[in-house]
Amino acid sequence: MTISITPSAQQRMRQFLAQAPSAAGVRFGVKRTGCSGFAYVVDLAEQLGEDDQTFQIEGVPVIVDAKSLPLVEGTEIDFQRQGLNASFVFRNPNATGECGCGESFTVG
């Protein structure tokens, strides 16, 4: 697994985990939605599913389900602030297109 997390994303994820000490880790994956097909999901994982895999990335437990794994392989997760807005940003080499709003992507 080659997901990477920038220092700013690591810091944000650690803040989330500190507020929820019972969480198993940060869930990263995709769901079918949006105008392009898939949307990223970043959330706290309260429990592990049967098909989940856990990766320690820079000390952050990242949980990815088996269906999402091939779609997020190689993705870099960043966290950026622009004015009053703050969000995770994804650089996914598997994405062959993105919608205009940047909320969803397609794969080849």
Side-chain angles (χ1 to χ4, degrees):
M1 174 48 107
T2 57
I3 292 174
S4 61
I5 306 172
T6 66
S8 60
Q10 292 170 33
Q11 180 181 13
R12 185 64 172 157
M13 289 178 181
R14 287 188 180 109
Q15 289 171 344
F16 284 136
L17 290 168
Q19 294 173 1
S22 65
V26 176
R27 180 169 301 284
F28 175 54
V30 298
K31 63 180 179 178
R32 283 205 168 276
T33 190
C35 44
S36 288
F38 295 99
Y40 296 103
V41 175
V42 178
D43 202 357
L44 290 175
E46 295 300 325
Q47 55 189 343
L48 296 175
E50 286 184 25
D51 66 343
D52 285 342
Q53 293 189 31
T54 302
F55 304 93
Q56 290 291 328
I57 304 172
E58 301 295 331
V60 176
V62 177
I63 299 163
V64 182
D65 66 89
K67 290 179 184 174
S68 295
L69 199 53
L71 299 172
V72 299
E73 176 72 28
T75 298
E76 178 188 63
I77 305 171
D78 193 9
F79 184 77
Q80 297 180 354
R81 294 183 186 277
Q82 294 179 336
L84 298 176
N85 298 319
S87 63
F88 286 104
V89 176
F90 309 96
R91 295 177 192 93
N92 185 344
N94 303 303
T96 56
E98 295 180 345
C99 69
C101 63
E103 292 294 319
S104 60
F105 68 99
T106 56
V107 292

